[in-house]
Amino acid sequence: MEQAILDYLKDKREIYLKELSEFLSIPSISALPDHKGDVQKAAEWTADALERIGMEQVKVYETKGHPVVYGEWLKAEGKPTILIYGHYDVQPVDPLHLWETPPFEAAIRDEKIYARGATDDKGQVFMHLKAVEAILQSTGTLPVNFKFCIEGEEEIGSPNLPTFVEENKELLAADVIVISDTGMLEKGKPAICYGLRGLCGLQIDVKGAKGDLHSGLFGGAIQNPIHALVQLVNSFHDANGKITVDGFYDRVQLLTDEEKQAYANLNISDESFKEQAGASELFGEEGFTTLERVWVRPTLEVNGIYGGFQGEGIKTVIPSEASAKITCRLVPDQDPDEIVSLLQKHIEKNKPEGVEVTVSLFDKGSPFVTPFDHPAIQAAGRVYEKVYGVPTSYTRMGGSIPIVAAFDQILKLPVVLMGFGLPDENFHAPNEHFHLENFDKGLDTLCYYWYELENSL
Amino acid sequence: MEQAILDYLKDKREIYLKELSEFLSIPSISALPDHKGDVQKAAEWTADALERIGMEQVKVYETKGHPVVYGEWLKAEGKPTILIYGHYDVQPVDPLHLWETPPFEAAIRDEKIYARGATDDKGQVFMHLKAVEAILQSTGTLPVNFKFCIEGEEEIGSPNLPTFVEENKELLAADVIVISDTGMLEKGKPAICYGLRGLCGLQIDVKGAKGDLHSGLFGGAIQNPIHALVQLVNSFHDANGKITVDGFYDRVQLLTDEEKQAYANLNISDESFKEQAGASELFGEEGFTTLERVWVRPTLEVNGIYGGFQGEGIKTVIPSEASAKITCRLVPDQDPDEIVSLLQKHIEKNKPEGVEVTVSLFDKGSPFVTPFDHPAIQAAGRVYEKVYGVPTSYTRMGGSIPIVAAFDQILKLPVVLMGFGLPDENFHAPNEHFHLENFDKGLDTLCYYWYELENSL
């Protein structure tokens, strides 16, 4: 890669930060109807920016919700095509009074840029635009082909993007998807997240008598819906934390020795995990390390339970109903639909006597993994190492980004999550910010990456 | 017993109903500080009434709360002494708009008198006054000795009565306590309730991490307080509804064959019980009938459970805490203190890993039973039968009336619950009323009872 590209990025730094500040000044809060116009404005800003850096076929695609912005450059004949996904919408900003500077007036302090969207995800989308601009301006061409797909509904769960992707498979066809919407392990430690857990969930509602009953007059002769619920919910785990739903673990992939070693090399101690969790003890499935438990083992968690009296003191009631909300984190190759059906069978089989049990389903998302040894993953690792001067960590995440799984499933493409954010940058919280060190190094890393991919795929 | 007494009661009926209406017009709501003056007024009204019917040593005893009214007549030398307990305070009246006539303006419709306190308990206290008056006026004397103890805090849990009783053991010494503050089985079916269940309870609070955690980032490696709570709560019962706390049943008295027969004779079908409960199925401890389950078997009920997310839909959180409220209904000879300590031991033994469990205790009340074959019980049965013309039912109640147990324990006296209310008379609800049929028959019954007791005790 030519030094001219890096020099160009250095030259333009001040201008870029100004442009980014302009992007960040648009309050494109997708969750709030009052900001619909702002979201549209951010879409147009993104389209203009794509035009300005030399993309073609730039278009703001309307959806049932906020639009998707597309642009491409496909002149690198015979070379791989990269689909870059990101989002121009942001989270709400309340509580506003906790912000040290206004959320939509970008402010730089201590080599960090503060604004809503600085790290999630306008800052990282902007870097992708500028890396491409720098190469194109410095060299007159690009080493690979690019397609940009920047949406405006990520913060509300991307309700319309899967349909858009499904309807535009050909438009979006590529060799690899690159997403910069996650984070590094910690400052100075680049990481490539190559796997996410999936999600499925359901609510169990247990109904007993028509109304609440006096526990003196009826207690002993009527099934208490709380007892029934507790019995049912307790049947999901054994005392060691293992999930007892028949077939639940059948499709769970085991780690390769190489991956086990990679996780061990991260040197994330149980002590630091405890501290991060604010917990005095850890607890989980036997036979696995903490990282394995959160990254590559599935879970079944009760996220909420309620029934009967919750006030101060005592109320001697047998409630008429009780409910639990349950979600599972899934790992490759578990299938959310299959798991939901196993859960339903388990509930049917373990339904306690004397009550009515109904189940309602929540949204689902598949687990995702790009093979650890995929050339696009390994190439990303090499360029991170080059720019940051330290070995790249290969990680997974216990959380779920449904849109990643959707891309994976609809387009059948490997996904590379190249995140430049840091865990403590307050994404979704007041005083969101982005470290300029990672803005600068991230731009260099992206430029190196495209050259590295030119011959790796 | 002389016919003159019954004639006297008939003659005075109109006057009595007027007097009762006056008593009912005092809004003596003990729970509301604004009505403190009214509660005092009702105490004075009661004291005046006791004076007027010929009681002596009448006094309004001040307590830390509302006063206790006392009066006695002890001239039946060598005859038994009856302690009559009742209360002159009433429940609040809201929602006021549901009352067909104002709660403190007694109205007679369809041979029922409507007003707050009509059945609970002013109406029944008033009957005791008038039965004594009728005998004394008609015959010039009384067949037994009487002590009246009428309190003003029953509807707020009688916080000061146990102390009053403890400090006035001698004043209150008697052979039997008679209380008319419960009900008959149904219209035309008199019942004597000779046993009540006791109560004890505790709250379990389970704490995990310091704050709620993301179930993706931490799920699998941290104990979920809901799981821990559910595991613990589930350990209290087996799948057949039997309580598995060590020693819980050790002191439980079994029914005599005579009692079993008496309950069977009540012909209360499971169908009618289901209907009353508004439940489509019954469920309870194996080997016992429904009535036995609610009257003479102890229970452990979760009255409330809560933790985590309770809103619409899904929130993928591992909550930092979860709680359950538990009460036990106790039967003779279980001791509330001992049961609480057994529960605490059980919790200690079954405490799940990875969380902190704390327990806080609720108020307690002992179970109570007057032996089924006690002469005062059997005498009550005979006089009911005489007046109502049908066999008397011998029942227990699954609920608890702590003050009954307190009398039983402090004064060591048999307690006879002679209730004249009906289950559908809306006590504690709008449009409380009292059937005049039971006002009339109840007065006769009480008069017969005192003559029956004269020679039974």
Side-chain angles (χ1 to χ4, degrees):
Chain A
M1 189 182 89
E2 294 177 27
Q3 178 62 32
I5 297 167
L6 302 178
D7 293 343
Y8 183 94
L9 287 168
K10 247 181 219 148
D11 281 355
K12 290 280 192 169
R13 189 173 191 260
E14 287 314 301
I15 294 170
Y16 281 179
L17 287 176
K18 255 190 204 154
E19 277 184 47
L20 173 57
S21 299
E22 191 185 290
F23 192 19
L24 292 171
S25 75
I26 308 169
S28 50
I29 304 170
S30 50
L32 303 179
D34 281 359
H35 286 270
K36 195 172 165 46
D38 296 314
V39 179
Q40 183 72 32
K41 203 174 145 195
E44 283 155 18
W45 193 97
T46 306
D48 287 349
L50 284 168
E51 297 256 9
R52 270 185 281 131
I53 64 167
M55 295 300 101
E56 300 174 348
Q57 310 293 340
V58 173
K59 189 169 164 187
V60 175
Y61 284 85
E62 295 306 322
T63 71
K64 281 185 187 164
H66 303 304
V68 176
V69 183
Y70 177 82
E72 65 181 31
W73 190 97
L74 303 175
K75 297 174 186 166
E77 220 171 303
K79 297 295 180 186
T81 300
I82 318 298
L83 175 61
I84 293 169
Y85 164 82
H87 62 94
Y88 60 81
D89 65 321
V90 297
Q91 279 277 321
V93 295
D94 44 283
L96 192 60
H97 70 276
L98 293 182
W99 287 80
E100 285 175 28
T101 47
F104 297 108
E105 293 174 25
I108 293 175
R109 326 187 257 284
D110 303 331
E111 281 302 290
K112 296 164 208 155
I113 183 164
Y114 284 82
R116 172 57 86 229
T119 180
D120 178 17
D121 181 39
K122 282 176 175 170
Q124 302 199 54
V125 163
F126 183 79
M127 285 162 64
H128 275 288
L129 300 176
K130 295 301 143 178
V132 168
E133 175 189 306
I135 301 175
L136 201 52
Q137 292 295 324
S138 311
T139 70
T141 187
L142 291 167
V144 290
N145 298 296
F146 285 98
K147 294 180 173 183
F148 283 86
C149 171
I150 314 296
E151 73 150 324
E153 296 188 305
E154 198 273 347
E155 298 295 2
I156 54 171
S158 305
N160 295 297
L161 194 68
T163 306
F164 176 82
V165 174
E166 190 72 59
E167 288 172 354
N168 293 282
K169 274 187 195 167
E170 211 162 306
L171 183 74
L172 300 173
D175 295 292
V176 64
I177 302 175
V178 175
I179 301 177
S180 300
D181 193 20
T182 52
M184 302 173 35
L185 267 193
E186 56 185 81
K187 200 160 149 50
K189 272 201 176 177
I192 296 169
C193 173
Y194 66 97
L196 296 165
R197 292 197 287 192
L199 189 72
C200 67
L202 48 79
Q203 173 157 339
I204 301 174
D205 294 305
V206 176
K207 286 226 166 203
K210 269 181 209 137
D212 289 0
L213 294 173
H214 189 291
S215 79
L217 303 184
F218 296 96
I222 294 283
Q223 176 65 285
N224 180 326
I226 298 179
H227 298 188
L229 180 67
V230 157
Q231 189 184 320
L232 183 54
V233 165
N234 194 54
S235 74
F236 287 119
H237 293 94
D238 68 16
N240 299 319
K242 197 154 187 98
I243 296 155
T244 51
V245 174
D246 275 349
F248 189 83
Y249 292 101
D250 282 2
R251 296 189 196 278
V252 172
Q253 281 184 11
L254 292 180
L255 279 187
T256 62
D257 288 344
E258 212 178 353
E259 284 174 300
K260 268 184 190 283
Q261 192 52 52
Y263 299 169
N265 288 348
L266 294 175
N267 282 320
I268 297 178
S269 71
D270 278 3
E271 277 312 310
S272 76
F273 190 87
K274 264 193 235 177
E275 202 175 308
Q276 214 190 329
S280 55
E281 289 178 62
L282 298 181
F283 177 82
E285 194 187 351
E286 277 180 353
F288 297 91
T289 67
T290 299
L291 276 193
E292 288 167 5
R293 286 169 177 172
V294 293
W295 286 355
V296 297
R297 297 299 296 173
T299 65
L300 185 155
E301 297 281 351
V302 185
N303 306 117
I305 194 165
Y306 48 99
F309 181 62
Q310 304 194 10
E312 276 289 303
I314 193 177
K315 186 178 178 190
T316 50
V317 73
I318 301 175
S320 71
E321 50 189 51
S323 300
K325 289 170 185 281
I326 291 173
T327 52
C328 294
R329 296 287 172 173
L330 307 177
V331 300
D333 294 323
Q334 288 180 304
D335 171 59
D337 290 312
E338 187 186 9
I339 294 295
V340 163
S341 121
L342 295 177
L343 295 178
Q344 285 176 306
K345 266 183 217 150
H346 180 93
I347 292 166
E348 195 47 50
K349 205 177 97 189
N350 291 277
K351 182 187 137 359
E353 277 182 71
V355 287
E356 212 179 287
V357 174
T358 53
V359 168
S360 38
L361 304 184
F362 295 139
D363 282 351
K364 292 182 284 264
S366 294
F368 144 80
V369 69
T370 295
F372 178 64
D373 52 4
H374 188 282
I377 297 287
Q378 293 298 321
R382 286 194 299 275
V383 295
Y384 265 127
E385 208 160 320
K386 187 171 203 153
V387 175
Y388 283 83
V390 294
T392 301
S393 297
Y394 294 92
T395 70
R396 295 209 199 180
M397 253 170 55
S400 311
I401 309 181
I403 197 59
V404 172
F407 272 123
D408 181 44
Q409 291 196 306
I410 301 170
L411 298 179
K412 317 273 183 220
L413 292 179
V415 180
V416 180
L417 298 174
M418 286 186 93
F420 297 101
L422 288 180
D424 60 355
E425 288 181 332
N426 294 348
F427 62 103
H428 293 204
N431 303 311
E432 177 177 346
H433 58 276
F434 186 47
H435 283 67
L436 294 183
E437 174 194 341
N438 292 323
F439 180 76
D440 297 329
K441 288 191 172 156
L443 278 165
D444 293 355
T445 306
L446 290 175
C447 292
Y448 278 113
Y449 190 38
W450 308 139
Y451 283 97
E452 194 77 18
L453 278 190
E454 179 183 4
N455 301 308
S456 303
L457 287 180
Chain B
M1 189 182 90
E2 295 177 26
Q3 179 61 32
I5 298 168
L6 302 177
D7 294 343
Y8 183 93
L9 286 169
K10 248 182 218 146
D11 281 356
K12 290 281 193 169
R13 188 173 193 260
E14 288 313 302
I15 294 171
Y16 282 179
L17 287 176
K18 257 192 200 149
E19 278 185 46
L20 174 56
S21 299
E22 192 185 290
F23 192 19
L24 292 171
S25 75
I26 309 169
S28 49
I29 304 168
S30 51
L32 303 178
D34 280 359
H35 286 271
K36 195 172 165 47
D38 296 314
V39 179
Q40 183 72 33
K41 203 173 146 195
E44 282 155 17
W45 193 97
T46 305
D48 287 349
L50 284 168
E51 296 257 9
R52 270 185 280 131
I53 64 167
M55 295 299 104
E56 299 175 346
Q57 308 295 340
V58 173
K59 190 171 164 186
V60 175
Y61 284 83
E62 296 304 324
T63 70
K64 281 185 188 165
H66 302 303
V68 176
V69 182
Y70 177 83
E72 65 179 32
W73 188 97
L74 303 176
K75 296 174 187 166
E77 221 171 300
K79 299 293 181 185
T81 299
I82 317 299
L83 175 61
I84 294 169
Y85 163 83
H87 62 94
Y88 61 82
D89 65 321
V90 298
Q91 279 276 321
V93 295
D94 45 285
L96 192 59
H97 70 277
L98 294 183
W99 286 80
E100 285 175 30
T101 47
F104 297 109
E105 292 174 24
I108 294 176
R109 323 187 261 284
D110 303 332
E111 282 301 290
K112 296 164 209 156
I113 184 163
Y114 285 80
R116 171 58 84 228
T119 180
D120 177 19
D121 180 42
K122 282 176 175 170
Q124 302 200 53
V125 163
F126 183 78
M127 286 161 63
H128 276 287
L129 300 175
K130 294 302 142 178
V132 167
E133 176 189 307
I135 301 175
L136 202 51
Q137 291 296 322
S138 312
T139 70
T141 187
L142 292 167
V144 290
N145 298 297
F146 285 99
K147 293 179 173 183
F148 283 87
C149 172
I150 314 296
E151 73 149 324
E153 296 188 304
E154 199 273 347
E155 299 294 4
I156 53 171
S158 304
N160 296 297
L161 194 68
T163 306
F164 176 81
V165 175
E166 191 72 60
E167 288 173 355
N168 293 280
K169 275 186 196 170
E170 211 163 308
L171 183 74
L172 301 172
D175 296 293
V176 64
I177 302 175
V178 175
I179 301 177
S180 300
D181 194 21
T182 51
M184 301 171 36
L185 266 192
E186 57 185 82
K187 199 158 149 51
K189 272 202 177 176
I192 297 168
C193 174
Y194 67 97
L196 296 165
R197 292 197 285 192
L199 190 73
C200 67
L202 49 78
Q203 174 159 337
I204 301 174
D205 295 304
V206 176
K207 287 226 165 202
K210 269 182 208 136
D212 289 1
L213 293 174
H214 189 292
S215 79
L217 304 184
F218 296 95
I222 295 283
Q223 175 66 285
N224 180 327
I226 298 179
H227 298 187
L229 180 67
V230 157
Q231 189 184 320
L232 183 53
V233 165
N234 194 56
S235 74
F236 286 119
H237 293 95
D238 68 16
N240 299 318
K242 198 154 185 100
I243 296 156
T244 51
V245 174
D246 275 350
F248 189 83
Y249 292 101
D250 281 2
R251 296 189 195 277
V252 172
Q253 281 184 13
L254 292 180
L255 280 187
T256 64
D257 288 343
E258 215 179 350
E259 285 175 299
K260 268 183 189 284
Q261 192 53 52
Y263 298 169
N265 289 347
L266 294 175
N267 282 320
I268 297 178
S269 71
D270 278 2
E271 277 313 310
S272 75
F273 189 88
K274 263 192 236 178
E275 203 174 310
Q276 213 190 330
S280 55
E281 288 179 63
L282 299 180
F283 177 82
E285 195 187 350
E286 277 180 352
F288 296 91
T289 67
T290 299
L291 277 191
E292 289 167 3
R293 285 168 178 173
V294 292
W295 286 355
V296 299
R297 297 299 296 173
T299 65
L300 184 156
E301 296 281 351
V302 185
N303 306 117
I305 193 166
Y306 47 101
F309 181 62
Q310 304 193 10
E312 276 289 303
I314 192 178
K315 186 178 177 188
T316 48
V317 72
I318 301 175
S320 71
E321 50 189 53
S323 300
K325 288 170 185 283
I326 290 173
T327 52
C328 295
R329 296 287 172 173
L330 307 177
V331 300
D333 295 322
Q334 287 180 303
D335 171 59
D337 290 311
E338 187 185 8
I339 294 296
V340 163
S341 118
L342 295 177
L343 294 178
Q344 286 175 305
K345 266 183 217 149
H346 180 93
I347 292 166
E348 195 47 50
K349 206 177 98 189
N350 291 276
K351 182 187 136 1
E353 277 181 69
V355 288
E356 213 179 288
V357 174
T358 54
V359 168
S360 38
L361 304 184
F362 295 140
D363 282 351
K364 293 181 284 263
S366 294
F368 142 80
V369 70
T370 296
F372 178 64
D373 52 6
H374 189 282
I377 297 288
Q378 293 298 322
R382 288 195 298 276
V383 296
Y384 265 128
E385 208 159 321
K386 186 170 203 155
V387 175
Y388 283 84
V390 294
T392 302
S393 297
Y394 296 91
T395 70
R396 295 209 200 181
M397 253 171 55
S400 310
I401 309 183
I403 197 58
V404 172
F407 271 124
D408 181 44
Q409 290 195 306
I410 301 170
L411 297 178
K412 318 274 184 220
L413 292 178
V415 179
V416 180
L417 298 174
M418 286 186 91
F420 297 101
L422 289 179
D424 60 355
E425 287 181 333
N426 293 349
F427 63 103
H428 293 205
N431 303 311
E432 177 177 346
H433 58 276
F434 187 46
H435 282 68
L436 293 183
E437 175 194 341
N438 293 323
F439 180 75
D440 297 329
K441 288 192 173 155
L443 277 165
D444 294 355
T445 306
L446 290 175
C447 293
Y448 279 114
Y449 190 38
W450 308 140
Y451 284 98
E452 195 76 19
L453 277 190
E454 179 183 3
N455 302 309
S456 302
L457 288 180

